[in-house]
Amino acid sequence: MLRVAPIVKPLRAMTLFALAFKVLQKQVANCSTPGYPKSTQKKNFDDLSAKLATIFASEVPCPGDGNLDKRVDGEDLANWSYFRALSGGKSSWYDFAIDGAYDGLTDDRDLAVIRQNLGTNCVKGR
């Protein structure tokens, strides 16, 4: 298991929930068991999916925030450096969308995004 806990803060609970929910969505969509999910289960699942989509859509974008703490700070610079060195720039952990696209690399273009947004606090109301 890769241990990056000292360097990267744990993902927020909502992010972990989102990842788990996506797995569940795939399982439900690919389920071949006859009679499953039942119509009430499917309706409940669809209702929950719609509510979660609304919640996820309300998240404020935070360019340069690779550790997902909604702040662009020295930790992001240190983590970018760590992942760049660890993977020779081939890591996508600190890969940010540039012109709407990800290139799958932790490179100088991503460092520029961090530097451009350094000091940004993306938490609403702060």
Side-chain angles (χ1 to χ4, degrees):
M1 172 186 273
L2 177 64
R3 297 203 57 192
V4 293
I7 294 166
V8 179
K9 288 184 180 180
L11 296 175
R12 293 171 303 144
M14 196 65 183
T15 303
L16 290 174
F17 182 76
L19 294 172
F21 189 74
K22 286 182 185 211
V23 169
L24 180 60
Q25 282 178 314
K26 285 183 182 180
Q27 289 175 344
V28 169
N30 295 329
C31 183
S32 60
T33 304
Y36 180 84
K38 296 185 183 326
S39 62
T40 54
Q41 291 170 322
K42 177 83 168 95
K43 181 188 177 314
N44 291 341
F45 182 80
D46 290 343
D47 289 346
L48 179 60
S49 293
K51 288 175 184 170
L52 284 173
T54 301
I55 291 169
F56 296 144
S58 71
E59 185 170 2
V60 178
C62 198
D65 175 30
N67 62 357
L68 306 178
D69 66 355
K70 292 297 183 190
R71 290 169 180 78
V72 184
D73 55 20
E75 281 189 54
D76 294 299
L77 288 170
N79 292 342
W80 176 90
S81 180
Y82 173 81
F83 284 105
R84 168 111 180 200
L86 181 69
S87 68
K90 302 205 183 322
S91 159
S92 62
W93 186 275
Y94 268 76
D95 180 31
F96 300 108
I98 298 171
D99 298 326
Y102 297 90
D103 63 9
L105 304 172
T106 298
D107 56 18
D108 290 335
R109 295 177 63 194
D110 302 305
L111 178 60
V113 172
I114 296 170
R115 286 184 174 157
Q116 181 179 7
N117 294 285
L118 201 59
T120 302
N121 182 340
C122 302
V123 178
K124 281 187 176 181
R126 292 189 182 172

